[in-house]
Amino acid sequence: MSSTFVANGCASNGSEVTSPAITKSVDTKQTNSVNEPVQFLERIFRILVEEKVITGPQDVRNKVINFKYPHELQQLLDLPIGEAPTKDEVLVEACQRTIQYSVQTGHPQFFNQLFGGVDQYGLAGSWITEALNTSQYTFEAAPVFTLVEHSIVQKMLALVGYQNGDGIFCPGGSVSNMYAMHVARYKMFPEVKKKGMRALPRLVAFTSDEVQISLSTVFILSILSI
């Protein structure tokens, strides 16, 4: 019994072998649909770079904001939501105008006590979280982000000296104050969880004159006296 193998178009017995042509069918429509999101995002990224949103304008002679009154902005921005899909070109122009008429927080003369400018590492993290588009409610839905959140909470507890504690992320000062007030109420009157506010005496909170403005709203939501 003899065996024959094929290498470089020739058989082991010396005869030529005609190899079948191998072709790969490429669905150009599918390829374009895959590349379109990338191309669109690349265009937006170039605009961010060209408009110095990421690096921040270095020339102090540039305006912090190209200010327009609301009625003027409504004429410049196409804000009404229609029924038909919007083309990419229109969206790109909308992005450009959004940047053009927004506050330039990276400007050398922009000052705010809470925010300002762009941090490249925070921006990269924001891109990743937005692209993954997950939620934080269970480990199954966000395994990595759940561990990141836990690690940050542990760091914050260590900074204030808590040996055994817990924490939660809040969207702002108002919600933070509301959570704090509810925790304080539960600590003093744990029965409120099952019996409700009617089972409690009249509650009063004392604050200074310089307290955060949201406290009055928090008192109302917590059914406390102002």
Side-chain angles (χ1 to χ4, degrees), residues 149 152-154 156-157 165-171 175-176 179-180 183:
E149 182 181 53
I152 294 175
V153 168
Q154 294 303 311
M156 298 301 295
L157 291 173
D166 204 346
I168 186 172
F169 286 89
C170 304
V175 175
S176 299
Y179 286 165
V183 169

Side-chain angles (χ1 to χ4, degrees), residues 6 9 17-26:
V6 177
V17 176
T18 303
S19 301
I22 301 176
T23 60
K24 182 179 181 180
S25 176
V26 178

Side-chain angles (χ1 to χ4, degrees), residues 38-54 99 123 127:
V38 176
Q39 294 171 353
F40 177 79
L41 292 174
E42 287 177 344
R43 294 177 66 182
I44 301 303
F45 178 76
R46 285 197 298 269
I47 293 174
L48 291 172
V49 174
E50 293 169 358
E51 296 293 336
K52 295 182 173 54
V53 175
I54 296 178
I99 295 171
L123 181 60
W127 285 343

Side-chain angles (χ1 to χ4, degrees), residues 49-70:
V49 174
E50 293 169 358
E51 296 293 336
K52 295 182 173 54
V53 175
I54 296 178
T55 60
Q58 303 302 315
D59 193 344
V60 295
R61 294 172 296 182
N62 293 334
K63 294 180 180 180
V64 176
I65 180 174
N66 185 11
F67 180 78
K68 300 291 182 183
Y69 287 100

Side-chain angles (χ1 to χ4, degrees), residues 4-11 13-22:
T4 303
F5 68 91
V6 177
N8 297 328
C10 295
N13 57 10
S15 61
E16 293 185 358
V17 176
T18 303
S19 301
I22 301 176

